[in-house]
Amino acid sequence: MNSYMKRFVLFAAVALAFVSCAKQAEPTLSGLDPNAFKDRYQGKRVALYTLKNEQGMEVCITNFGGRIVSMMVPDIKGNFLDVVLGFDNIKDYYPENNASDFGAAIGRYANRINQGRFTLDGEEYQLPRNNFGHCLHGGPDGWQYKVYKVVKHNDTMLKLLMDSPDGDSGFPGRVKAYVTYTLTPDNQLQISYEATTNKPTVINMTNHSYFNLAGDPEYHRVSEDFIRMNALAFTPVDATYMPTGEIRNVSRTPMDFTSGEYVGVNINNFADEQIKNGNGFDHNWILNNHRDITEPAVMLYTAQSCILLTVYTDEPGIQIYTGNFLDGSVQGKKGIYYKKHAGICLETQKYPDSPNHPEWPSPVLRPGETYRSNTVYAFSTLDINGEKEAEK
Ligand code: BGC
């Protein structure tokens, strides 16, 4: 190669690098600056990854905690709304700045384990106790506060890996857990979890997105949403949010959403012991879809945008948490302070404290087995207002 050619090749390489950097730095449809997510945490690289389908739906995820940062979904008029809470820069996600679970891929163990203690094959394990004396969401060093490795990323798919050492937060076994996010052409976000272990252990993963289907967390409260649940029973909790062990029928309780009801009808009915104990809704419902992922588990609808979210899962339970602890002190995207009931979490799961309830669906994973869990958040629109107009 002569020197002219060399200079040309160098110029072309620099120009290409420049173009690809510039492309990465373009703001997302949700208005995020990908540069604000580029960092190193505990020596590992973090960034923002974007999924997009042909209909224009966009999901942005960071590998820090496997967190969904934004989800742009079309409303009835075709306007795109960001339907999840979160932060607009990576630093706000770090536990030293905010102990939030916004959008996170929770592991190893979503929800609570009583006193952080359980026995497996005669061996007792003690986990960190970070919530009323219990272990919540795997403790203060749960996977939602760690960096997942990016295994694969393309326009519609992101695959992450957590390689968790034996003894991580007190849990036995080296666990390799994959979380895959896939955006389908028909506006479904599919989340699949897969894990293996080299020693008997327990595992229960979930996604902790806070949904605000009006795309308006400043003013829209999830109490205004309409919810229908394919669930005939729930697990009542004591004053520390710990299941008592009882499985209670929902009929004639504020937990009955079998034929659909506004979330807010009983959300402040503190005369009810369970609403009081949960400080609103913060309970596990037992799903009645027989772990069939093709049958809806929960439907959530907001008249303001006419967006309908249908949750499908092959897990036996779902935690519905109505953002009762949001108190306006945390400032999220677009400078909005998140107040009580600004978001609702739909966390598919094994029942809380399952390691201490052998009578419930088992969270135990043994060497040679593969833990598999699948959840779909499917978005569509439903013109209830239009239908009402037509009825007149
Ligand atoms: C729990 C809540 C908790 C929230 C945030 C939910 O899954 O049930 O009690 O406050 O997560 O971590």
Side-chain angles (χ1 to χ4, degrees):
M1 217 189 284
N2 64 30
S3 75
Y4 174 77
M5 278 292 280
K6 272 187 194 153
R7 268 172 55 199
F8 178 77
V9 169
L10 192 70
F11 175 79
V14 169
L16 205 70
F18 183 78
V19 167
S20 67
C21 280
K23 190 170 170 240
Q24 272 176 21
E26 266 174 32
T28 65
L29 180 66
S30 53
L32 299 170
D33 172 6
N35 288 322
F37 287 83
K38 272 191 199 148
D39 199 13
R40 276 186 176 272
Y41 190 77
Q42 295 176 341
K44 293 177 184 156
R45 223 187 267 271
V46 292
L48 189 71
Y49 298 87
T50 301
L51 312 183
K52 203 157 190 166
N53 69 8
E54 282 151 20
Q55 296 199 49
M57 181 171 161
E58 177 201 80
V59 180
C60 295
I61 304 161
T62 170
N63 58 320
F64 177 77
R67 289 167 184 253
I68 296 173
V69 179
S70 65
M71 248 193 241
M72 293 296 280
V73 174
D75 71 4
I76 192 88
K77 295 184 189 132
N79 299 319
F80 282 81
L81 306 178
D82 185 359
V83 298
V84 291
L85 310 191
F87 297 114
D88 59 12
N89 68 90
I90 194 66
K91 297 217 163 61
D92 280 353
Y93 281 100
Y94 297 159
E96 50 275 28
N97 299 327
N98 282 300
S100 90
D101 291 315
F102 292 145
I106 308 265
R108 291 189 190 189
Y109 207 93
N111 218 302
R112 293 165 174 85
I113 296 180
N114 204 335
Q115 309 296 308
R117 253 198 310 270
F118 70 99
T119 304
L120 180 57
D121 296 344
E123 204 60 57
E124 191 171 293
Y125 297 95
Q126 179 66 59
L127 313 169
R129 300 160 63 161
N130 58 337
N131 190 264
F132 295 97
H134 309 303
C135 181
L136 174 65
H137 295 329
D141 296 316
W143 294 348
Q144 59 275 28
Y145 304 119
K146 295 192 167 156
V147 179
Y148 282 78
K149 189 175 172 211
V150 176
V151 179
K152 198 170 170 189
H153 175 224
N154 62 32
D155 285 353
T156 54
M157 190 264 245
L158 177 68
K159 184 171 186 177
L160 303 175
L161 165 66
M162 183 59 67
D163 188 350
S164 164
D166 186 9
D168 190 4
S169 287
F171 288 95
R174 176 180 175 189
V175 168
K176 284 191 183 177
Y178 293 91
V179 186
T180 307
Y181 300 89
T182 308
L183 181 59
T184 68
D186 56 347
N187 292 353
Q188 299 193 355
L189 181 69
Q190 303 181 338
I191 310 178
S192 80
Y193 308 88
E194 249 183 52
T196 51
T197 181
N198 67 351
K199 281 184 191 166
T201 192
V202 293
I203 185 156
N204 185 31
M205 295 189 73
T206 197
N207 179 268
H208 209 293
S209 288
Y210 287 66
F211 292 97
N212 184 302
L213 296 185
D216 181 17
E218 190 165 13
Y219 298 111
H220 178 79
R221 297 291 162 258
V222 298
S223 32
E224 296 163 45
D225 296 352
F226 191 81
I227 193 166
R228 184 168 186 176
M229 297 180 48
N230 193 353
L232 304 175
F234 73 107
T235 48
V237 292
D238 67 16
T240 69
Y241 300 83
M242 181 52 60
T244 57
E246 182 191 343
I247 304 269
R248 192 180 291 173
N249 200 297
V250 292
S251 68
R252 289 183 300 277
T253 78
M255 308 291 164
D256 188 354
F257 294 103
T258 46
S259 24
E261 185 50 276
Y262 286 97
V263 173
V265 168
N266 277 300
I267 203 168
N268 291 317
N269 178 6
F270 294 112
D272 180 89
E273 180 218 44
Q274 283 305 307
I275 296 288
K276 183 163 155 256
N277 287 355
N279 188 23
F281 295 109
D282 193 351
H283 296 81
N284 168 64
W285 272 260
I286 292 174
L287 292 170
N288 195 38
N289 62 343
H290 314 288
R291 304 184 75 163
D292 175 355
I293 192 139
T294 65
E295 223 189 286
V298 171
M299 292 168 128
L300 183 72
Y301 179 77
T302 298
Q304 198 169 322
S305 61
C306 298
I307 292 177
L308 172 70
L309 164 58
T310 308
V311 183
Y312 299 88
T313 185
D314 51 14
E315 285 292 352
I318 191 164
Q319 185 85 5
I320 305 288
Y321 166 60
T322 44
N324 312 321
F325 293 108
L326 299 173
D327 61 2
S329 62
V330 170
Q331 190 177 22
K333 290 177 283 189
K334 302 205 165 95
I336 293 166
Y337 287 92
Y338 295 139
K339 299 202 183 105
K340 194 172 183 182
H341 304 155
I344 181 167
C345 302
L346 310 162
E347 307 159 54
T348 56
Q349 60 181 2
K350 300 282 180 308
Y351 310 163
D353 198 31
S354 285
N356 292 307
H357 289 275
E359 70 280 18
W360 290 350
S362 174
V364 174
L365 179 69
R366 296 182 181 280
E369 297 174 346
T370 303
Y371 162 83
R372 285 195 178 87
S373 170
N374 296 283
T375 293
V376 177
Y377 292 125
F379 295 92
S380 57
T381 53
L382 194 68
D383 190 1
I384 283 191
N385 302 324
E387 276 167 26
K388 277 195 196 134
E389 280 300 309
E391 276 166 23
K392 274 187 196 166

